[in-house]
Amino acid sequence: MLEKRIFYIFVATFFVRMGFGLMLSTFPTYILSNTALHLSDYGVISTLSPLAELLTVLFFGVYIDTHGKKNVLEIGMSFAVISMAGISLSNNPFLISPFIALNGVAGGTVLTSSLAMIVDLTEVTNRGKYTGMFDSMNILGWAIGYAIGFIYLSIHLTLPVLYFIASVLSFISLYFISKIVYREHLSEGYHLNKLKTVLFTKDVVYTVLPWFIIYMFIGSFLIYLPVGVIGLKIPLWIIALAIIIGGIGIIELQRFFGHLSDSYGRFKIMIIGAGGFVGLFIGILLSRVFGYNYYVISLIGISGILALAFAPSSLASLGDLSNKKLGGTTMSLYSFVISGGMIIGIPSTSIIYTYYGLTGLTTFFSLAAMLMILLLILKYRFEKSHPI
């Protein structure tokens, strides 16, 4: 049976991510409806959020370990409520830029403190299953938020109302977090030596760096998906339905792969996930040469499923490595890396696509996925030479 406190974290995660999905899926339409702006302006505006996360999350990580995970999670949820309500006030990016940045700070603090709480409330024997379920609630929240956002766009309703709804969803998340009661492991004193301890732990660094590569892809996908969808002739409700079905399927797969990492070891499942990313990008690359025949579609489909093995096993491995008193600092490094991946990924992938097309872009990501495997090999060698 799912422990009540973990259940509250999952529900809160789902609602706040749904709010983020509602906002991000409609944000290009909202911003670009300001006729003075161009698509390139949207790309710059979109980087404000991950940039704010990048600049603040490590300090919040240390603060989490000294002042409590629940306290910081409530602060992060409050930031989400305020930021999305603020964005609803205007589509002028100069007026709402502080709220866009605050939304990034909210995302980083919510993710970091939530994961640190999951680590506190789980053991090595079940952590993979629960991190898999946590990540799946993240993905499902994003997916349903995007789906509702696309449906909302198709019926041409006013967008500020939607952002106010996203703010209300964040408030619901805040309510569920307020119901959690547990005794925390706190670290004494706020000083950056804690951060230094984590940053110079090779095992932790080898575990989080692959996420930089993953979020170069995910960041670009999430930012430009709404722009691409607007130009499609497929009805938005069909796209929304496909997103929801895919999100529900991911829940079971994430839980399954997380359970496998509990039973057979984190490293083996992480390698399977990294191999899935390699196969996925190579499959897309092959489709440019041979088209979407049976073999290419099979390679892309199977690889895409296997790629889902990486998240739960990697997050569980990170949880295993983090001392309970430094869980916030460790998870903040993860959040720092993924926000860095988004910041660099959005402009760099745009440049690669502009000059080399989809073939150049998939070649780049195929090589990057192979680098993920190299980092995991370094992690394995380090663990062998430095057994816990």
Side-chain angles (χ1 to χ4, degrees), residues 125-166:
T125 54
N126 64 7
R127 187 166 293 137
K129 180 178 76 172
Y130 285 126
T131 53
M133 293 173 69
F134 172 81
D135 197 52
S136 67
M137 295 309 292
N138 253 318
I139 294 171
L140 185 63
W142 277 109
I144 292 181
Y146 261 74
I148 295 173
F150 288 150
I151 293 172
Y152 202 87
L153 287 175
S154 70
I155 53 181
H156 306 292
L157 295 176
T158 177
L159 289 176
V161 174
L162 187 67
Y163 298 148
F164 181 76
I165 293 171

Side-chain angles (χ1 to χ4, degrees), residues 77-146:
M77 293 296 186
S78 301
F79 285 167
V81 172
I82 295 167
S83 64
M84 285 188 268
I87 290 170
S88 71
L89 298 176
S90 171
N91 70 341
N92 185 322
F94 299 104
L95 294 178
I96 62 172
S97 57
F99 295 110
I100 297 172
L102 185 63
N103 194 255
V105 177
T109 52
V110 166
L111 177 63
T112 300
S113 49
S114 297
L115 277 171
M117 287 178 76
I118 293 291
V119 171
D120 263 8
L121 297 171
T122 56
E123 303 296 334
V124 174
T125 54
N126 64 7
R127 187 166 293 137
K129 180 178 76 172
Y130 285 126
T131 53
M133 293 173 69
F134 172 81
D135 197 52
S136 67
M137 295 309 292
N138 253 318
I139 294 171
L140 185 63
W142 277 109
I144 292 181
Y146 261 74

Side-chain angles (χ1 to χ4, degrees), residues 182-328:
Y182 82 110
R183 186 174 180 178
E184 297 196 44
H185 303 275
L186 297 180
S187 181
E188 295 181 1
Y190 184 95
H191 53 83
L192 296 182
N193 284 339
K194 297 178 178 67
L195 183 57
K196 182 180 177 182
T197 299
V198 172
L199 287 174
F200 287 93
T201 304
K202 287 186 178 180
D203 207 0
V204 172
V205 173
Y206 291 147
T207 305
V208 298
L209 279 180
W211 284 101
F212 181 87
I213 296 166
I214 292 171
Y215 267 81
M216 285 184 69
F217 169 70
I218 291 178
S220 302
F221 179 76
L222 288 178
I223 292 296
Y224 290 110
L225 174 64
V227 179
V229 164
I230 291 170
L232 292 176
K233 296 181 179 179
I234 303 172
L236 291 177
W237 70 267
I238 293 178
I239 296 173
L241 182 62
I243 290 173
I244 292 173
I245 293 172
I248 293 172
I250 285 171
I251 289 181
E252 277 304 306
L253 285 169
Q254 293 279 74
R255 187 189 65 81
F256 171 71
F257 284 126
H259 178 69
L260 286 182
S261 78
D262 291 333
S263 302
Y264 299 102
R266 313 289 187 219
F267 178 77
K268 293 176 184 177
I269 309 303
M270 288 171 70
I271 282 288
I272 290 173
F277 277 105
V278 173
L280 175 64
F281 293 122
I282 288 178
I284 296 172
L285 187 60
L286 289 175
S287 71
R288 304 293 295 168
V289 180
F290 302 105
Y292 286 98
N293 59 42
Y294 173 80
Y295 300 104
V296 170
I297 291 174
S298 298
L299 176 61
I300 293 173
I302 294 170
S303 298
I305 290 172
L306 293 179
L308 294 172
F310 187 81
S313 53
S314 175
L315 293 177
S317 177
L318 205 56
D320 295 342
L321 293 169
S322 68
N323 181 302
K324 284 184 182 279
K325 292 185 178 181
L326 291 179

Side-chain angles (χ1 to χ4, degrees), residues 30-42:
Y30 185 55
I31 290 296
L32 295 176
S33 62
N34 185 329
T35 54
L37 297 175
H38 302 284
L39 185 59
S40 57
D41 300 317
Y42 166 68

